Amino acid sequence: MTTATVGRRPGRPDEAVGGVVPREVVSPSTVAEVAEVMRAAAADRLTVVPAGGRSKTSWAAPPSSCDLLLDTSRLDRVVEHVAGDLVVVAEAGVRLADLQAQLGAAGQLLGLDPPEPGATLGGIVSANASGPRRLRYGTARDLLIGATVVLGDGTVASAGGKVVKNVAGYDLGKLYTGAHGTLGVVVSTTWRLHPVPVARRAVVLDLPAASAAGPLAVRLSRSTLTPSAVELVGTAGGAGQLLVLFESIAESVAAQASAAVTLLGGGSEVEELPATFGRRPGSPDDVLLRLAYLPTALPEVLAALPHGTAVTASAATGVAYAALASSDAVDALPALRAALARHDGTAVLLRAPEPVRGRLDHWGPVGDALDLMRRVKERFDPERRMSPGRFVGGL
């Protein structure tokens, strides 16, 4: 008996990935055990799908096969926190909320705030998930400075390190960010940290038309103000509310909030964020999309959505989330993608009710990068056993 076989059990329906029930599930607890599992899977030519907190398994297309679900949730150790260098090394199964609590005790934070409960570091990297504060801190691609992965044949590979500026070389972490487990298993991550801001203040402005957030966000971007987030909550064709968040020292947030009220032509200053801050719009009955587009195109993006669609938008970064009514989605999604293309935009399916999901194209048009992505896939997973079919173009 080996680690590759001990603890393997049949998959359950509630562990399905995109509706595909894994034939078996295994939960290794060390990098060495992950490598052993992967070598055994390679010997048996099994398809493997990694998963951690399973908060974003619907963000990629359903796998064409899942012989083995590799559960990374037992890789849950914070390996090293070098507070003086603002760096932390943590395994892929560490939950973001747990890491933030540990870092917070030292007055530091990881500048990622995707709202999905139970999200793990490996899942955030694999899905490239982000939240409102991406305006200030960037995304996983910006904060991940090192990664260790296990390839489909069991090879353990590491890149980057514990300093922000590393020597030149292939940036493995960026390649695996957003790859949805199609190139291998992320097992350890190294992150750049930031100090916890000592003060916070937000300006909240009600908008009769949500589309007005577009020019206001442009006005903020062209000013000397440095908000952490500029968030719109509203409906397409309807009203909205814009929240501009400042985080710094007390004197700075007070001065910036006051200046923002003047710049925006109104608004109320608050210190407590609403409970809905950063949440995705809609309900599980809706079709949830992630939209990306030129930041100046927010009014046109809202106009392209069906009237009344619930929307949240990071208005200064060109990222929005839209909850289409399931009854509208099949017809509305192709038209929306055509409209977004005029603004260098995309619409990716994140979640859909079971009856609708199979009728929707998950990724939409791929563009001219597909050939390059195929060659990368061929290099890292030549047998196409890692999360087959999950990525764009059926990779």
Side-chain angles (χ1 to χ4, degrees), residues 34-378:
V34 173
E36 186 178 348
V37 168
M38 296 303 290
R39 286 193 294 271
D44 294 335
R45 302 183 65 82
L46 301 181
T47 55
V48 179
V49 176
R54 305 180 197 184
S55 59
K56 296 177 290 298
T57 54
S58 65
W59 283 30
S64 58
S65 171
C66 181
D67 295 322
L68 185 64
L69 179 72
L70 195 152
D71 180 357
T72 62
S73 62
R74 294 178 66 204
L75 298 168
D76 58 357
R77 288 168 285 269
V78 177
V79 178
E80 185 178 12
H81 176 203
V82 189
D85 292 339
L86 290 166
V87 168
V88 67
V89 182
E91 292 181 331
V94 173
R95 294 180 185 272
L96 176 62
D98 296 338
L99 179 64
Q100 299 287 32
Q102 181 168 334
L103 297 174
Q108 298 181 357
L109 59 79
L110 174 59
L112 295 171
D113 57 348
E116 285 73 28
T120 60
L121 300 179
I124 290 170
V125 171
S126 292
N128 194 21
S130 62
R133 291 180 176 83
R134 61 178 291 153
L135 176 63
R136 175 177 180 141
Y137 298 110
T139 65
R141 277 198 175 94
D142 303 300
L143 298 172
L144 185 69
I145 59 174
T148 298
V149 302
V150 180
L151 305 183
D153 62 0
T155 300
V156 179
S158 297
K162 292 185 288 185
V163 293
V164 175
K165 290 185 178 180
N166 280 296
V167 296
Y170 204 77
D171 197 333
L172 199 62
K174 283 186 171 57
L175 183 66
Y176 274 72
T177 302
H180 291 280
T182 56
L183 301 178
V185 185
V186 177
V187 291
S188 182
T189 56
T190 304
W191 301 91
R192 179 164 61 102
L193 305 177
H194 290 82
V196 174
V198 296
R200 177 176 67 199
R201 188 168 296 189
V203 174
V204 178
L205 177 64
D206 292 325
L207 302 171
S211 58
L216 292 176
V218 172
R219 197 180 300 172
L220 285 164
S221 298
R222 291 174 177 172
S223 74
T224 58
L225 302 180
T226 55
S228 296
V230 180
E231 289 293 295
L232 169 70
V233 178
T235 57
Q241 185 178 77
L242 188 67
L243 185 149
V244 184
L245 174 64
F246 298 98
E247 295 174 315
S248 182
I249 60 175
E251 294 81 0
S252 175
V253 299
Q256 292 201 70
S258 177
V261 170
T262 301
L263 187 71
L264 298 173
S268 303
E269 296 185 30
V270 299
E271 293 190 355
E272 295 299 321
L273 297 177
T276 56
F277 178 72
R279 287 187 185 174
R280 311 299 188 205
S283 73
D285 293 330
D286 296 320
V287 172
L288 181 64
L289 305 174
R290 178 172 59 191
L291 315 178
Y293 48 87
L294 294 174
T296 54
L298 178 58
E300 290 79 8
V301 171
L302 293 173
L305 289 165
H307 184 84
T309 299
V311 177
T312 63
S314 296
T317 60
V319 175
Y321 297 84
L324 296 181
S326 296
S327 56
D328 295 336
V330 173
D331 293 330
L333 184 54
L336 174 62
R337 282 174 168 154
L340 287 172
R342 294 193 286 272
H343 306 286
D344 198 22
T346 58
V348 175
L349 180 67
L350 298 187
R351 185 190 67 224
E354 186 67 33
V356 180
R357 183 173 56 204
R359 301 170 60 195
L360 299 171
D361 178 1
H362 191 98
W363 295 103
V366 179
D368 56 7
L370 182 58
D371 183 59
L372 173 61
M373 288 189 278
R374 283 176 173 151
R375 282 183 277 147
V376 171
K377 176 73 171 177
E378 177 65 24

